[in-house]
Amino acid sequence: MFYDIREKPFIIFWELTRACMLACRHCRARAIRKRNPNELTTDEAFGVIEQIKEFGRPYPLVVFTGGDPLMREDVFEIVEYATSSGIRSAIAFSGTKLATRERLEKLKEAGISRIAISLDGSNPEIHDHFRGVGGTFETSLEILEMARELEISRQINTTVTNFNMADLPNIAKIGIENEIALWDVFFVVPTGRAKAEYMPTSQEFEDILNWLYDLSKRTPLNVKSSAATHLRRIEYMRDSGTYDLPHGELYHRLAESLRGMPEGDSKEIVSGAHGRSMARDGIRRMMGITDGRGMFFISHVGEVYPSGFLPLVAGNVREKSLRDIYGNSDIFLSLKNPDNLRGKCGKCEFRHICGGSRARAYAMTGDYLAAEPRCIYRPKGTEVIM
């Protein structure tokens, strides 16, 4: 079935609260310890779910996030309301003691499809330093184990920075050992608490993404990149044998790690007529999705952004419907047309399947249509660098 991401999003990220017990160095939300009294109420959250249903079937996938959504006592009611309405839902929460076995059981009973836990290092020294609170590494592993015992699908989210890029192979091994369904590798955007100096260089981006391609082909691990849509270009170029960019030193160091990895079946990517691909675990990875195009973000107070890392308000669910905001706001209209992109992204032959991170472009240039600042690819037929 044709899924037109110009008409409705494929995925919605919904920040139920900004309250969180951690103090992560990269936190885009600048999370706080206490809940905002202006958060959407339970009834308002139910109303948002009704708005999501207005997009029609198949409904967008909803990922409940935060802050830490477990800081809301009504999170189970909200999840159940969504899943009982036929909306596939996942949840991403912090690796804290709030994630008890009892709460995981309640999430399963509420119909959650998957839980996502952040893991930004393969040991406490790296992970706990990054998360700002001691003990979170061990707690995160305990949560993954409890979820496995409860037969809940598990995902690991990792934010790539200068602090941990050399540790990525060790995190991958943890994912394989824990039989996770997906490793979502997020490339840091300098917004919120995150700083520009946390980011790898453009060559290091390319090296890591090439290594992730190799990893997904040679091991049982299913891999996805976030805020680094260049992976789609790399997949296309390497699958078609047209990749001719030089690998950097980091790639060669990471590639050595593959020798010690358990081998798995090569994950065939089946491309559809509409630029759509199918990951092995059955979750569609829609080609072309990026900030504001096929996705959006709902804040804890009902504001709608193209993504959580591109905090430009397109509307508020308390004033307009999600369908109206996504379909008619100027921000979304401009982002949904890749031909509006500027610089080398606007000239790139891969702009319709990639498009770059609009959030990183905005954070580093002030222009959300500017070229992706961390891409080394030079579009064919042009000498444009940026």
Side-chain angles (χ1 to χ4, degrees), residues 3-4 11 20 45 64 89 108 111 126 133-134 161 179 209 237 245 255 257 266 276 287 331 345 350 356 359 369 380:
Y3 196 111
D4 190 346
I11 188 168
C20 183
F64 296 106
S89 304
K108 182 178 180 180
I126 300 174
V133 175
T161 66
E179 300 177 334
L209 290 169
M237 295 179 75
L245 280 71
S257 69
S266 178
R276 172 165 82 187
M287 300 295 273
I331 297 172
C345 280
F350 296 107
L369 295 175
K380 297 191 182 304

Side-chain angles (χ1 to χ4, degrees), residues 166-293:
D167 192 40
L168 292 174
N170 298 320
I171 301 174
K173 290 176 183 176
I174 291 175
I176 294 171
E177 290 167 359
N178 282 272
E179 300 177 334
I180 62 170
L182 182 68
W183 187 25
D184 192 348
V185 185
F186 177 86
F187 287 70
V188 69
V189 173
T191 188
R193 292 195 190 114
K195 300 177 181 178
E197 54 262 36
Y198 294 174
M199 289 191 299
T201 66
S202 297
Q203 181 64 60
E204 288 167 341
F205 262 62
E206 191 80 2
D207 287 352
I208 295 167
L209 290 169
N210 269 284
W211 174 74
L212 290 175
Y213 173 91
D214 294 340
L215 185 74
S216 70
K217 293 289 187 180
R218 300 182 190 180
T219 75
L221 201 56
N222 192 30
V223 180
K224 172 185 176 294
S225 68
S226 290
T229 50
H230 333 12
L231 182 57
R232 299 167 190 164
R233 166 181 58 79
I234 290 169
E235 280 184 339
Y236 179 89
M237 295 179 75
R238 292 192 59 181
D239 284 350
S240 61
T242 59
Y243 191 89
D244 58 0
L245 280 71
H247 292 314
E249 179 184 347
L250 178 60
Y251 172 79
H252 295 292
R253 293 206 311 266
L254 292 173
E256 285 295 314
S257 69
L258 293 173
R259 297 181 181 180
M261 297 275 190
E263 294 185 3
D265 294 334
S266 178
K267 288 167 282 301
E268 182 181 4
I269 302 298
V270 182
S271 297
H274 304 293
R276 172 165 82 187
S277 65
M278 188 75 73
R280 188 183 64 166
D281 70 349
I283 295 177
R284 274 181 280 174
R285 298 199 306 179
M286 300 285 287
M287 300 295 273
I289 289 178
T290 185
D291 313 85
R293 193 167 89 228

Side-chain angles (χ1 to χ4, degrees), residues 82-357:
T83 59
S84 64
S85 298
I87 297 173
R88 189 177 185 200
S89 304
I91 189 167
F93 49 78
S94 303
T96 72
K97 297 298 182 182
L98 286 177
T100 62
R101 188 182 187 91
E102 179 184 7
R103 288 193 174 101
L104 292 180
E105 288 175 340
K106 290 181 71 173
L107 285 171
K108 182 178 180 180
E109 292 168 1
I112 206 72
S113 295
R114 177 173 296 174
I115 66 163
I117 293 293
S118 294
L119 203 65
D120 296 303
S122 65
N123 56 60
E125 289 72 28
I126 300 174
H127 177 85
D128 291 359
H129 172 72
F130 198 70
R131 292 283 155 179
V133 175
T136 57
F137 175 75
E138 295 298 337
T139 300
S140 297
L141 294 186
E142 290 169 5
I143 294 168
L144 287 173
E145 180 57 29
M146 285 190 294
R148 175 157 60 175
E149 292 172 357
L150 293 170
E151 298 183 334
I152 301 172
S153 179
R154 301 162 308 285
Q155 174 176 322
I156 287 176
N157 295 342
T158 299
T159 299
V160 178
T161 66
N162 291 329
F163 305 118
N164 66 354
M165 60 185 185
D167 192 40
L168 292 174
N170 298 320
I171 301 174
K173 290 176 183 176
I174 291 175
I176 294 171
E177 290 167 359
N178 282 272
E179 300 177 334
I180 62 170
L182 182 68
W183 187 25
D184 192 348
V185 185
F186 177 86
F187 287 70
V188 69
V189 173
T191 188
R193 292 195 190 114
K195 300 177 181 178
E197 54 262 36
Y198 294 174
M199 289 191 299
T201 66
S202 297
Q203 181 64 60
E204 288 167 341
F205 262 62
E206 191 80 2
D207 287 352
I208 295 167
L209 290 169
N210 269 284
W211 174 74
L212 290 175
Y213 173 91
D214 294 340
L215 185 74
S216 70
K217 293 289 187 180
R218 300 182 190 180
T219 75
L221 201 56
N222 192 30
V223 180
K224 172 185 176 294
S225 68
S226 290
T229 50
H230 333 12
L231 182 57
R232 299 167 190 164
R233 166 181 58 79
I234 290 169
E235 280 184 339
Y236 179 89
M237 295 179 75
R238 292 192 59 181
D239 284 350
S240 61
T242 59
Y243 191 89
D244 58 0
L245 280 71
H247 292 314
E249 179 184 347
L250 178 60
Y251 172 79
H252 295 292
R253 293 206 311 266
L254 292 173
E256 285 295 314
S257 69
L258 293 173
R259 297 181 181 180
M261 297 275 190
E263 294 185 3
D265 294 334
S266 178
K267 288 167 282 301
E268 182 181 4
I269 302 298
V270 182
S271 297
H274 304 293
R276 172 165 82 187
S277 65
M278 188 75 73
R280 188 183 64 166
D281 70 349
I283 295 177
R284 274 181 280 174
R285 298 199 306 179
M286 300 285 287
M287 300 295 273
I289 289 178
T290 185
D291 313 85
R293 193 167 89 228
M295 63 174 280
F296 63 75
F297 177 91
I298 306 170
S299 83
H300 63 302
V301 295
E303 294 173 333
V304 180
Y305 311 151
S307 78
F309 298 87
L310 182 52
L312 297 174
V313 180
N316 193 299
V317 296
R318 286 170 166 154
E319 300 165 359
K320 294 182 179 180
S321 73
L322 287 171
R323 191 173 181 182
D324 184 21
I325 295 169
Y326 186 71
N328 299 310
S329 70
D330 290 342
I331 297 172
F332 282 109
L333 288 174
S334 63
L335 287 169
K336 282 188 281 189
N337 184 358
D339 293 334
N340 289 330
L341 298 177
R342 291 191 263 269
K344 70 175 185 178
C345 280
K347 297 177 173 62
C348 184
E349 64 270 32
F350 296 107
R351 64 188 179 278
H352 288 271
I353 66 170
C354 174
S357 169

